[in-house]
Amino acid sequence: MTGPVWIPSQAVVDGSTVERYRRWLSTHGGPDLPDYTALHAWSVAEPARFWGSLWEYFDILATPYDEVLASAEMPGARWFTGAELNYVDQVFRHVREGTAVVDEPEPGGVGRRLSWAELRRQVAAVANTLRGLGVERGDRVVGYLPNIAEAVVALLATASLGAIWSSCGQDYSAPAAVSRLGQLTPKVLITADGYRYNGKPQDRREAITLLRNEIPSLEATIMVSRLGLELPGVTPWSVDGDHPLTVEAVPFDHPLWVLFSSGTTGKPKGIVHGHGGVVLEHVKQLSLHLDLRPEDTFLWYTSPSWMMWNFQVAGLLVGATIVCHDGNPGFPTPGALWDLARRLEVTVLGTSPAYLQASEKAGVHPSLPTLRTLGATGSVVPPAAYRWVATELGSEVALASTSGGTDVVTAFAGAVPTEPIWAGEISVPCLGVALEAWDANGRSVIDEVGELVVTQPMPSMPLSFWDDPDGLRYHEAYFAHYPGVWRHGDWITITGRGTVVVHGRSDSTLNRNGVRMGSADIYAVVEKLPEVAESLVIGAEQPDGGYWMPLFVVLANDIELTEELTDKIKAAIRRDASPRHVPDEIIAVRGIPHTRTGKKLEVPVKRLLQGAAVADVVDPQSVDDASLLDVFAGLSSRR
């Protein structure tokens, strides 16, 4: 397939929110811009005018501000000074007839629907409970919860008080949850007795007990009954009674939530985001880029441990119906997530590149007549996945690949309904994101590989890291390499047509004989082979000055790594990537370690192969299967 895999029809372009916004600008004191490219250029050349226009266009519920951008210094930009608002007000401006939240468990469970009025009533009830427990502005309330409606209610109730929310999914072990949530010295823990996964109940009472014992600041624990289990000493979740919802207005930069880094390089970093920055950024991203509307049903397969859960909840900010699902997307059949989306008439669906690849390999043929946009993030989407989606779902469905991060709780690059989509490429830099690729000399390059940098501030950049009073860790994380410029740590190419190609993390770049290569380019080739379930490539500098580039493969269906299969893999890489990409060695392993949000542990594995100890390179609690780390550590010792 050559050319774009998706081209918007004129009707799609004309009916899109981003196009309506572009036309609105020209009649409301803004520039008359011909297309998205010009709109994006203006949004980063004049950030104060751009973000100020969004404030007006979306009619953000807030008190008046003094200045849009009082200081553009990074870090430390100051946005919408003087304004007060609350995330919760922006949600409940949409109260009307209809469903706000769908809570859908695995097949066999009982689904629930919360109307907008019922959601508001439950939020008011839980806020009243929290207030009775002494929760005040600035206090922390934490969740150890599956992806259920109660998690949404708990976040909104906490935010309504001006308190600060943070959460982990219950797939996290108790020590992993403590290493994150315990940092915040929370006052209240909201949890659930467990959840169902792969058709089996997962009792989490033992983990809850450990959390209560290991976080001494807790004054109360509220437990949702998901499995009908009991635990002494906890307060049962209750949404009884009718209470007024009193929402506390807070400054634009008042903390809303704390998200945590993956923890693969040490203690997880608590990343603090503010009410105003999140509201403005999420309304922009959901409305203008995903084209999410009040009539839409929005499902992103995620968990409360990952920023995409926060992003899905933000569907409420634009009035959409959101779907909470806490099951396995491949249970009871490989196409279970597709079946769920069809049954619920989902219009905007989000998943992972790995699920797209798994669906193709399993021979799944999804049918989703209501689907308009399919989002994918978490890792690089290989070109083959774009083609599979185009073939299976047809020309009406856009595959909106995005690249961003927990750091900014949004995307740097993504799709937009007015621009075509090319296989293996992300369509555009997002509005308000001054995205560039910089070479080693700090020079912006086109059609060359470079570091992903952002040269202008964004409202959703972190307010701070938790427990980083002098801002040193925050500065070191993003601004030490290029002073005053955000360096994200991804390796990208911005093409001549304005699309973005992500090659992988720049700190795990393959660099053979001075030629830099992206791991994603190898994965795109190897993981479409039917014999390979997953792969991991590492480039490890050796003490003697040499360079070792092994490829680790997890084989499908008990297949053995024969000499013939090794030759087939190398030939495919040579043909579809380049001879330089061919690894020095191919090694079969039983599994690839990931963060709990699904990212391959390239950098920690590289350090293990160079002889570092597991405890020095990664927190095992942050890994989906920590026992896999011993495989790579053992390989290093044998070498």
Side-chain angles (χ1 to χ4, degrees):
M1 184 183 295
T2 58
V5 294
W6 181 83
I7 300 174
S9 67
Q10 194 58 50
V12 167
V13 172
D14 291 342
S16 67
T17 307
V18 69
E19 182 67 5
R20 291 197 298 273
Y21 165 69
R22 186 186 65 81
R23 295 193 298 261
W24 174 89
L25 267 178
S26 64
T27 60
H28 287 76
D32 188 4
L33 303 166
D35 53 24
Y36 181 85
T37 301
L39 178 61
H40 176 265
W42 172 75
S43 76
V44 297
E46 299 193 49
R49 290 187 67 194
F50 167 68
W51 292 103
S53 75
L54 290 189
W55 185 279
E56 181 181 354
Y57 182 75
F58 290 113
D59 186 26
I60 301 300
L61 288 180
T63 63
Y65 58 83
D66 299 324
E67 195 172 355
V68 172
L69 186 55
S71 169
E73 183 180 0
M74 292 194 292
R78 294 172 56 232
W79 292 94
F80 294 92
T81 52
E84 291 194 340
L85 75 169
N86 192 296
Y87 181 100
V88 175
D89 280 332
Q90 196 68 28
V91 168
F92 288 122
R93 72 184 305 170
H94 299 288
V95 171
R96 62 184 188 280
E97 295 295 322
T99 301
V101 180
V102 177
D103 187 316
E104 196 69 21
E106 284 186 340
V110 179
R112 298 174 292 158
R113 280 171 164 73
L114 272 63
S115 69
W116 282 92
E118 177 62 13
L119 176 64
R120 181 172 60 183
R121 190 193 69 78
Q122 291 195 14
V123 168
V126 175
N128 183 68
T129 298
L130 293 175
R131 193 180 293 110
L133 292 171
V135 175
E136 300 176 342
R137 179 193 285 211
D139 287 339
R140 278 75 64 200
V141 176
V142 297
Y144 184 56
L145 290 159
N147 184 10
I148 56 178
E150 287 85 354
V152 178
V153 172
L155 161 61
L156 296 177
T158 300
S160 73
L161 302 175
I164 303 168
W165 173 257
S166 191
S167 62
C168 284
Q170 289 193 308
D171 55 325
Y172 269 52
S173 70
V178 169
S179 73
R180 290 159 173 77
L181 305 180
Q183 295 182 41
L184 308 181
T185 57
K187 183 173 284 188
V188 176
L189 167 67
I190 300 179
T191 187
D193 55 357
Y195 61 100
R196 292 185 180 275
Y197 193 83
N198 280 339
K200 299 177 182 178
Q202 307 292 324
D203 182 348
R204 302 305 290 155
R205 289 177 297 174
E206 184 176 337
I208 294 165
T209 299
L210 191 147
L211 260 68
R212 295 174 68 201
N213 291 336
E214 295 295 322
I215 305 179
S217 61
L218 288 176
E219 298 177 10
T221 298
I222 300 171
M223 191 174 81
V224 177
S225 178
R226 192 72 170 173
L227 301 178
L229 305 176
E230 295 182 356
L231 184 63
V234 302
T235 301
W237 172 271
S238 173
V239 290
D240 293 340
D242 290 310
H243 304 274
L245 178 60
T246 304
V247 178
E248 180 158 352
V250 294
F252 185 91
D253 59 357
H254 182 77
L256 169 63
W257 57 47
V258 179
L259 303 182
F260 283 94
S261 64
S262 59
T264 56
T265 55
K267 186 178 180 180
K269 297 185 290 289
I271 302 170
V272 185
H273 295 112
H275 278 251
V278 168
V279 166
L280 202 56
E281 174 60 43
H282 281 181
V283 167
K284 179 215 76 175
Q285 194 67 27
L286 288 163
S287 295
L288 302 187
H289 285 277
L290 277 186
D291 205 31
L292 193 69
R293 309 165 191 171
E295 63 268 24
D296 282 323
T297 299
F298 180 37
L299 163 61
W300 203 293
Y301 182 77
T302 183
S303 99
S305 308
W306 189 23
M307 63 146 281
M308 293 310 299
W309 181 82
N310 303 70
F311 190 73
Q312 159 144 323
V313 174
L316 298 170
L317 292 173
V318 300
T321 299
I322 66 169
V323 180
C324 298
H325 176 58
D326 67 337
N328 180 346
F331 177 85
T333 66
L337 183 64
W338 304 113
D339 296 339
L340 174 64
R342 177 185 175 89
R343 180 161 54 83
L344 297 180
E345 298 183 337
V346 168
T347 51
V348 179
L349 172 65
T351 185
S352 67
Y355 186 70
L356 299 180
Q357 292 173 287
S359 295
E360 180 181 12
K361 288 189 175 184
V364 175
H365 300 289
S367 173
L368 292 99
T370 62
L371 190 67
R372 185 175 73 248
T373 302
L374 177 64
T377 193
S379 60
V380 176
V381 182
Y386 286 83
R387 300 187 184 100
W388 181 79
V389 168
T391 300
E392 293 292 335
L393 298 179
S395 61
E396 299 300 312
V397 177
L399 176 54
S401 173
T402 63
S403 181
T406 300
D407 324 72
V408 290
V409 73
T410 189
F412 296 120
V416 69
T418 60
E419 298 299 313
I421 295 171
W422 301 76
E425 302 175 16
I426 300 177
S427 298
V428 293
C430 293
L431 293 172
V433 182
L435 183 70
E436 296 183 14
W438 279 17
D439 66 13
N441 298 315
R443 181 175 60 95
S444 182
V445 294
I446 301 294
D447 285 325
E448 295 181 27
V449 175
E451 289 275 2
L452 187 164
V453 301
V454 180
T455 62
Q456 294 284 348
M458 298 163 56
S460 65
M461 284 177 173
L463 301 177
S464 63
F465 284 173
W466 191 263
D467 196 22
D468 181 30
D470 57 5
L472 182 61
R473 287 192 299 145
Y474 181 25
H475 182 274
E476 287 295 315
Y478 309 114
F479 300 104
H481 199 77
Y482 302 116
V485 172
W486 177 289
R487 173 183 176 264
H488 193 61
D490 279 347
W491 190 30
I492 64 169
T493 297
I494 298 178
T495 71
R497 59 171 168 249
T499 60
V500 179
V501 179
V502 179
H503 304 284
R505 295 293 295 173
S506 59
D507 49 8
S508 61
T509 296
L510 307 173
N511 191 343
R512 181 186 262 169
N513 299 323
V515 178
R516 296 195 300 175
M517 301 174 292
S519 56
D521 303 325
I522 295 176
Y523 302 148
V525 175
V526 174
E527 293 178 5
K528 71 181 179 182
L529 297 173
E531 298 90 344
V532 179
E534 194 175 16
S535 60
L536 178 74
V537 65
I538 299 296
E541 296 82 3
Q542 301 297 289
D544 62 1
Y547 191 76
W548 182 43
M549 193 173 116
L551 173 68
F552 300 96
V553 293
V554 180
L555 299 175
N557 302 320
D558 299 320
I559 292 172
E560 293 186 5
L561 184 62
T562 62
E563 185 176 344
E564 181 181 10
L565 179 54
T566 297
D567 291 342
K568 178 180 178 179
I569 295 171
K570 288 183 176 181
I573 295 171
R574 184 178 292 107
R575 180 185 67 245
D576 296 338
S578 81
R580 290 193 189 95
H581 288 80
V582 176
D584 296 318
E585 192 174 353
I586 299 179
I587 302 169
V589 293
R590 64 179 175 86
I592 303 297
H594 307 82
T595 68
R596 291 187 176 274
T597 56
K599 296 181 180 179
K600 299 176 184 180
L601 295 185
E602 291 179 336
V603 174
V605 169
K606 173 179 177 176
R607 294 185 61 195
L608 290 176
L609 295 179
Q610 291 173 320
V614 170
D616 294 335
V617 302
V618 64
D619 173 9
Q621 298 294 339
S622 69
V623 183
D624 58 353
D625 184 352
S627 69
L628 294 172
L629 299 172
D630 296 332
V631 174
F632 297 96
L635 180 61
S636 171
S637 64
R638 288 195 297 275
R639 281 178 57 85

